[in-house]
Amino acid sequence: MAAPLNRPEFQRLVEIIRDHPDFATETGRWRLLRAALQGHARTAAVLAGLDLGGHPQGVAVEVVTRLSAFGCLGGRHALALVLESVREGSGDDLSPELDRFIAELDGHCGPTRPGGRTGAILHLSDLHFGTLTDARNWQSQVAEDLKRELGCDRLDGLILSGDLTQRATAAEYAAAVEFLALLSREFGLTPERIALVPGNHDLNWDLSQAAYDPGTTTAYRAADDTERRRWIDTGSDLWVRDEDRYRRRFAPFSSQFYAKLKGLPYPTDYPDQFSIEHWPDLGLLVLGLNSACEIDHHHRDRVGIHPEALTGAVDLIRARPDWDACLKIAVWHHPLAGPDASRITDHGFLERLALAGFRLALHGHIHKAETHQYRYDLTPGGRRLDIIAAGTFGAPSRDWVPGYPLQYNLLRLTADQLTIETRRREEPNGAWKPDARWLQGPGRDPLPRYRIDL
């Protein structure tokens, strides 16, 4: 389990390790770490990709970050094992302090403490599946990375923030189902541990077009602004949609994917298009919202959260006081900002989420990993949502954003901190590797992870 270090503890451990005599040189650093971890399973996974060159402060930050997030090795915490080696060369004055840190760290490698939360949650977005071959190759690649590089043998949850397919065909949905079946089998996931929402690529354009009938100029002129949202005006033709047929554009997503995974159909009525997943052992609540509920083949940028769906979800959560203490995460597909027109411009729903106690939000669509914060209260401890965007897990290379290849996020959750590990894959048949893009300040190397204090 990852170590829930608060900021003062983290900074103190960085100072202690940085000032150790063996930490003065790169050779000494390798000797220190290898001696501490020798003989423990998965030692290679702890040290894989670790760069011990550079300024001692930056390297110490990377070591503490990596080891605290990595967690346990055979009943001992990886960071505690290193601190034992550090204690031997740090003098007697530091021994009591180090003993306390070691005991606290090893305490996280036993049974989960009452009221605590630790877990590993995989966040994938914009998978854009094509074939069963994709499904098998991609599952093998990500499983290899999770187990060998990140030391993650079991997943406590999976969050999919939309665009499972490229064109919402039966073959693409079959590939998505196969991928999730393989991943679930290897990492101990059940359907209840998977939260998902549709994206714009999960709607069927053929069914969308079939929902529109020719309309008359007289009827169009008589319609108010709300009614005109049902119309398409091409300049030469007018088309008006039939609502019953229009809702069927979600039918392939429902029958060919959602129902096979979750065992029930995806709702066709927009006020019902939300889902709530409660993971009690993690103290976690995940709310899924459909930001593509108004999108069709013509109105491709008309994105947003249906107000009645949000109301239904918030009312249900408020009626469950046993959920009050949960860490609440909201998930949808589209971004809140950016140069692309496909962004949510009505941010009022964020105010309601903040009032309802939501702390985190996850999305995709932009095909690059990003993070920013929505603040409802302008006070240091005020209500806020940290918003986490995952990059694209499987889009064709023509759709990659410059500087951002394929990406995914692994969320390591503890009682008071979330660590987001960002991974990248640059070759279609290549391996995943650390995506060191999170800047740490002038003169310091960027890291492939960042932390959010909860």
Side-chain angles (χ1 to χ4, degrees):
M1 296 181 183
L5 298 175
N6 59 37
R7 194 171 301 277
E9 290 174 332
F10 181 88
Q11 292 173 341
R12 180 57 179 150
L13 288 176
V14 168
E15 292 173 359
I16 292 172
I17 292 176
R18 177 199 63 195
D19 295 339
H20 190 272
D22 286 349
F23 217 74
T25 65
E26 182 177 358
T27 300
R29 296 164 193 169
W30 278 114
R31 186 188 306 115
L32 177 69
L33 293 180
R34 285 175 174 147
L37 303 174
Q38 186 176 9
H40 290 274
R42 295 160 54 225
T43 293
V46 184
L47 301 177
L50 189 61
D51 182 6
L52 297 184
H55 191 275
Q57 175 73 18
V59 178
V61 168
E62 173 64 8
V63 167
V64 176
T65 300
R66 168 76 70 95
L67 296 178
S68 60
F70 187 89
C72 305
L73 290 169
R76 297 294 309 281
H77 199 283
L79 185 53
L81 292 168
V82 172
L83 292 180
E84 283 188 342
S85 292
V86 168
R87 182 177 54 187
E88 295 174 5
S90 297
D92 294 337
D93 291 343
L94 281 179
S95 291
E97 186 178 12
L98 286 170
D99 286 343
R100 178 177 60 81
F101 276 124
I102 291 167
E104 289 181 357
L105 289 164
D106 281 342
H108 296 291
C109 296
T112 301
R113 296 171 298 165
R117 63 166 70 95
T118 58
I121 301 167
L122 185 62
H123 176 203
L124 305 181
S125 195
D126 299 80
L127 297 91
H128 295 283
F129 272 108
T131 67
L132 288 173
T133 299
D134 290 338
R136 292 157 187 159
N137 288 340
W138 295 357
Q139 192 277 334
S140 177
Q141 288 165 326
V142 73
E144 186 81 359
D145 190 54
L146 287 168
K147 289 190 170 184
R148 294 194 185 277
E149 299 300 309
L150 295 174
C152 181
D153 294 322
R154 180 181 176 83
L155 290 171
D156 298 285
L158 169 63
I159 297 177
L160 304 168
S161 52
D163 278 3
L164 282 301
T165 67
Q166 185 73 4
R167 295 183 178 85
T169 66
E172 290 170 347
Y173 279 125
V177 169
E178 175 72 4
F179 171 83
L180 292 181
L182 293 171
L183 192 70
S184 297
R185 189 178 307 126
E186 186 158 357
F187 287 91
L189 287 169
T190 63
E192 295 78 19
R193 288 293 183 150
I194 301 175
L196 64 125
V197 297
N200 49 294
H201 279 266
D202 298 319
L203 308 182
N204 188 285
W205 289 160
D206 292 337
L207 294 175
S208 173
Q209 291 175 322
Y212 280 87
D213 298 316
T216 66
T217 302
T218 301
Y220 181 72
R221 289 175 177 171
D224 60 19
D225 289 343
T226 301
E227 176 68 13
R228 284 189 180 181
R229 294 183 70 82
R230 298 178 53 232
W231 290 72
I232 294 174
D233 179 4
T234 67
S236 57
D237 297 300
L238 289 168
W239 300 86
V240 62
R241 73 190 187 212
D242 177 275
E243 292 297 339
D244 288 336
R245 299 204 307 271
Y246 190 66
R247 284 192 291 268
R248 296 175 194 166
R249 70 199 195 285
F250 285 98
F253 172 77
S254 175
S255 63
Q256 297 168 16
F257 179 74
Y258 192 89
K260 291 183 178 180
L261 180 67
K262 305 293 283 185
L264 72 166
Y266 189 74
T268 57
D269 291 336
Y270 307 128
D272 296 328
Q273 288 182 344
F274 68 88
S275 61
I276 297 176
E277 308 291 345
H278 180 217
W279 300 337
D281 59 315
L282 297 180
L284 201 64
L285 197 73
V286 184
L287 167 63
L289 297 166
N290 181 10
S291 62
C293 60
E294 286 199 286
I295 286 179
D296 60 31
H297 65 287
H298 184 78
H299 301 291
R300 300 192 180 205
D301 298 327
R302 199 157 69 184
V303 302
I305 304 299
H306 198 286
E308 291 182 78
L310 182 58
T311 291
V314 169
D315 286 350
L316 181 57
I317 293 170
R318 189 173 60 250
R320 292 290 302 269
D322 55 315
W323 290 349
D324 286 348
C326 288
L327 175 66
K328 298 179 179 66
I329 302 176
V331 185
W332 58 83
H333 179 64
H334 290 89
L336 302 168
D340 191 82
S342 296
R343 63 185 185 274
I344 301 175
T345 56
D346 182 356
H347 294 178
F349 79 103
L350 293 175
E351 296 182 359
R352 299 199 64 191
L353 290 175
L355 288 174
F358 279 81
R359 182 63 184 81
L360 301 166
L362 277 59
H363 72 81
H365 186 71
I366 55 177
H367 287 199
K368 60 180 181 178
E370 283 189 348
T371 180
H372 62 281
Q373 189 178 86
Y374 167 78
R375 298 179 65 189
Y376 184 75
D377 298 316
L378 299 182
T379 57
R383 287 164 291 186
R384 64 194 187 276
L385 277 81
D386 278 284
I387 300 172
I388 301 166
T392 175
F393 184 76
S397 58
R398 65 178 180 273
D399 293 330
W400 294 3
V401 175
Y404 289 81
L406 301 176
Q407 294 174 311
Y408 78 85
N409 289 339
L410 179 67
L411 313 182
R412 296 188 188 269
L413 178 68
T414 64
D416 58 2
Q417 194 173 84
L418 181 69
T419 300
I420 298 92
E421 300 270 3
T422 306
R423 311 294 289 178
R424 67 188 284 131
R425 182 159 63 87
E426 299 167 349
E427 301 291 340
N429 294 313
W432 291 96
K433 59 191 70 172
D435 190 12
R437 66 175 59 254
W438 308 111
L439 302 178
Q440 304 299 304
R444 299 172 63 183
D445 291 337
L447 296 177
R449 67 187 62 85
Y450 60 95
R451 296 186 303 277
I452 295 173
D453 292 328
L454 300 174

